[in-house]
Amino acid sequence: MPISKVEILHHIKTLKSGKSPGPDNITNEALKFGAPILVTYLTILFNMNIYSNSVGRIKLENKGRDIRIERGVRQGDPLSPKLFIAVLEDEFKGIEWNNNGLWIRNKHLTHLRFADDIAVFSDTATKLDKMLQTLDRESQKVGLYVNTTKTRILSNSVCQPIRVSLSKVQVRTIDLTLRVDSKPIEYVNNYVYLGKQVSFDMNSSENEVDRRINVTWKKYWTHKEILKGNYSQLQYNTRR
């Protein structure tokens, strides 16, 4: 008898929160949150039984013994990013960023997404702070977290603490530092997003060309033993 959507939804609802994820790094919170979207795909997956009798091996000098795969998706399985993107898509549908972002062609552009690489846009630091707090709060509901070690702020305006004169004797310092989970987010002059350096610098194009040349040379010297090797003694089989 095939597994039904009702059965899968029932078992997803009974999953305990706060448990460590398995090898696929998909938390129970993520499954619960994305259940309305995921249930169709999970039903197909379970009924196909594609992991029945699947095994893996660790290969060093020799192939190791068979290891039974009993749960989770395999490394490189195309289903893994699809599950992640489906959950993230549903999460963003619940985020209300109305009247935030940048006003472009009669629409508010709030963010860009490529898998888990997210760029959030705002015209003020105050609005950006609220957007980041909302994103962090909604992400934690599905077991995801903002990686503050990789998050940066790129601004075309003031990004340092400023002093404002309230009167002749009163001066107030406004701290523009934004924080996520109490951790400060660093302001930068440029940032590499999806392989391209983004900057407000007038010479950003020239800087990007220089950066790519430097990256290429670093890769070259990393593999210099191969690229500069002497292969004159190699014999080639050619067909005539």
Side-chain angles (χ1 to χ4, degrees):
M1 181 180 295
I3 302 172
S4 68
K5 291 184 180 180
V6 176
E7 290 177 289
I8 293 176
L9 282 173
H10 170 73
H11 286 288
I12 289 178
K13 290 179 180 179
T14 59
L15 292 174
K16 294 183 179 179
S17 301
K19 297 293 184 179
S20 298
D24 53 15
N25 289 323
I26 299 176
T27 63
N28 290 346
E29 289 85 355
L31 289 173
K32 287 182 177 180
F33 187 84
I37 293 178
L38 299 177
V39 64
T40 300
Y41 302 101
L42 292 174
T43 303
I44 296 173
L45 172 64
F46 291 143
N47 284 301
M48 286 176 62
N49 201 18
I50 62 174
Y51 294 130
S52 177
N53 300 319
S54 295
V55 296
R57 298 188 185 94
I58 298 175
K59 182 179 179 181
L60 298 174
E61 290 81 4
N62 301 305
K63 289 184 179 180
R65 63 182 181 84
D66 291 352
I67 302 173
R68 289 188 60 189
I69 299 175
E70 298 181 350
R71 65 174 183 173
V73 293
R74 292 173 290 186
Q75 181 71 25
D77 193 313
L79 181 63
S80 181
K82 287 181 172 61
L83 289 172
F84 177 84
I85 293 171
V87 171
L88 201 63
E89 177 68 24
D90 209 45
E91 175 196 338
F92 270 86
K93 287 181 180 179
I95 294 179
E96 295 184 0
W97 279 344
N98 299 330
N99 300 322
N100 288 302
L102 303 179
W103 186 250
I104 299 177
R105 294 188 178 182
N106 298 322
K107 290 184 179 180
H108 280 103
L109 176 63
T110 58
H111 69 285
L112 294 176
R113 275 184 290 142
F114 185 83
D116 60 343
D117 290 320
I118 304 172
V120 180
F121 302 104
S122 179
D123 54 358
T124 68
T126 302
K127 290 182 180 179
L128 179 60
D129 182 47
K130 292 180 179 179
M131 294 173 73
L132 289 176
Q133 302 311 318
T134 302
L135 176 61
D136 183 51
R137 182 175 62 253
E138 294 300 319
S139 297
Q140 291 189 30
K141 290 181 180 179
V142 296
L144 301 176
Y145 298 88
V146 176
N147 189 344
T148 54
T149 62
K150 293 184 178 180
T151 303
R152 299 291 184 271
I153 299 176
L154 186 65
S155 174
N156 63 345
S157 60
V158 178
C159 56
Q160 299 296 329
I162 57 177
R163 295 169 63 85
V164 179
S165 297
L166 302 179
S167 66
K168 292 183 179 180
V169 294
Q170 288 183 314
V171 177
R172 179 185 176 188
T173 300
I174 301 178
D175 187 3
L176 299 179
T177 303
L178 303 186
R179 290 176 169 79
V180 174
D181 195 23
S182 302
K183 299 175 183 176
I185 305 300
E186 180 185 358
Y187 281 86
V188 294
N189 295 321
N190 55 71
Y191 190 74
V192 178
Y193 181 68
L194 300 182
K196 185 182 186 305
Q197 182 172 272
V198 182
S199 174
F200 290 108
D201 193 327
M202 295 296 293
N203 299 319
S204 59
S205 297
E206 291 83 352
N207 294 337
E208 172 65 357
V209 172
D210 291 339
R211 185 188 71 85
R212 295 195 180 196
I213 291 174
N214 290 332
V215 170
T216 303
W217 275 114
K218 286 180 180 179
K219 284 294 182 182
Y220 173 82
W221 289 112
T222 299
H223 303 288
K224 65 178 181 180
E225 298 298 332
I226 298 174
L227 298 174
K228 298 181 69 175
N230 182 8
Y231 302 106
S232 59
Q233 303 301 320
L234 292 179
Q235 296 181 355
Y236 300 94
N237 293 324
T238 58
R239 294 182 179 180
R240 295 182 180 179

